[in-house]
Amino acid sequence: MRCYIAVAVLVTVGQLRHSIAAPLRSTHQVILNNENATPDSVRSALKRSEIIPTVLDDFEPKFLLKLSYPDKGDVVDLGNTLLPSDTTSAPTLQVHTLSAIPSLSPTATLASNVTYTIALTDPDATSRSNPSMAEMCHWLITGVTLTSHRSSSSLGFGAAYSIDLNPSTGDPNLEVLVEYLPPSPPPKTAFHRYVFVLLAPASSENSQLRKPNERPHWGYGKVGKGVRQWSEDNDQIVVGANFFYAQNKEQ
């Protein structure tokens, strides 16, 4: 259970935002295996953390993203806390459908010709109170397909897809647009939100995706620009998201 504490003291706006953002959960607490997981439960977590509407527009999740870091097996669990030192290697990915046949858009469904994209973004660079470098693009990989990796889902419905996101060992169609950059929040910048986003084509045709020309602001040169603007410009829609918090040990 996620807990938030309201403290009746005089604080600055920035301090208050950090107190709200600070997660109070074990790094190993897992809720994504809960067979009662629904699109609404995912959306609620994204709204509580202000990822909706700050990073993403409101959307109906079609997939549940289960990401695990290989160093210590830590999972990304809708707002738990991970140590930056445990996220140095790119995570593994398992995707669970939140319905038997998710409808991605009016013209696209789960099919062999749908190519997905995984993004990792930090909307709190350099800090949540001063996001001068936000959003920071930490990872962008496309060419992800699901139909050839199907297994039974632990959620009790739908299907699960295990995806190898290593281009050297995974699907030969994988294309790394931006190499994985491990989370590295600077000292004394409190908690950062690291947000994974699963994107799908908005139409039935897969289009050529544009690589951001730099990581800060996803190349747009303006504070607050990031994965939302990039997905719109590349005709992509959000179909799933997950996130964790991390901070530098020096606070």
Side-chain angles (χ1 to χ4, degrees), residues 11-204:
V11 295
T12 66
V13 172
Q15 290 172 328
L16 179 59
R17 288 176 65 87
H18 285 153
S19 68
I20 294 174
L24 302 176
R25 300 175 54 187
S26 165
T27 59
H28 293 283
Q29 182 179 357
V30 180
I31 64 172
L32 293 186
N33 283 326
N34 190 326
E35 62 184 23
N36 295 320
T38 65
D40 284 344
S41 65
V42 175
R43 288 172 65 206
S44 294
L46 297 172
K47 289 180 178 180
R48 281 195 299 269
S49 63
E50 299 181 358
I51 291 170
I52 295 176
T54 305
V55 182
L56 304 172
D57 292 331
D58 197 4
F59 72 102
E60 182 181 357
K62 306 297 184 182
F63 297 96
L64 196 62
L65 308 185
K66 298 182 67 175
L67 297 115
S68 177
Y69 278 97
D71 293 342
K72 292 187 177 179
D74 289 331
V75 297
V76 179
D77 193 19
L78 287 171
N80 59 327
T81 304
L82 300 182
L83 298 175
S85 59
D86 293 338
T87 62
T88 57
S89 300
T92 60
L93 171 66
Q94 191 176 70
V95 176
H96 291 248
T97 61
L98 286 172
S99 63
I101 303 178
S103 175
L104 305 183
S105 72
T107 58
T109 56
L110 183 63
S112 59
N113 64 341
V114 175
T115 298
Y116 300 87
T117 299
I118 290 285
L120 173 60
T121 191
D122 175 8
D124 304 320
T126 334
S127 68
R128 191 163 181 178
S129 61
N130 180 31
S132 59
M133 301 294 284
E135 293 173 20
M136 181 70 70
C137 180
H138 277 259
W139 199 22
L140 189 59
I141 183 168
T142 191
V144 177
T145 57
L146 303 184
T147 52
S148 61
H149 306 86
R150 180 168 180 159
S151 60
S152 59
S153 175
S154 61
L155 299 179
F157 56 87
Y161 301 86
S162 297
I163 311 298
D164 186 349
L165 294 176
N166 186 334
S168 63
T169 59
D171 193 317
N173 293 319
L174 288 175
E175 180 183 1
V176 179
L177 300 178
V178 178
E179 294 284 348
Y180 179 75
L181 176 67
S184 53
K188 300 181 180 180
T189 59
F191 284 101
H192 289 229
R193 295 164 294 172
Y194 292 93
V195 186
F196 290 92
V197 183
L198 182 65
L199 300 165
S203 65
S204 58

Side-chain angles (χ1 to χ4, degrees), residues 131-135 217 221-225:
S132 59
M133 301 294 284
E135 293 173 20
H217 318 303
K222 186 176 181 179
V223 173
K225 294 293 184 180

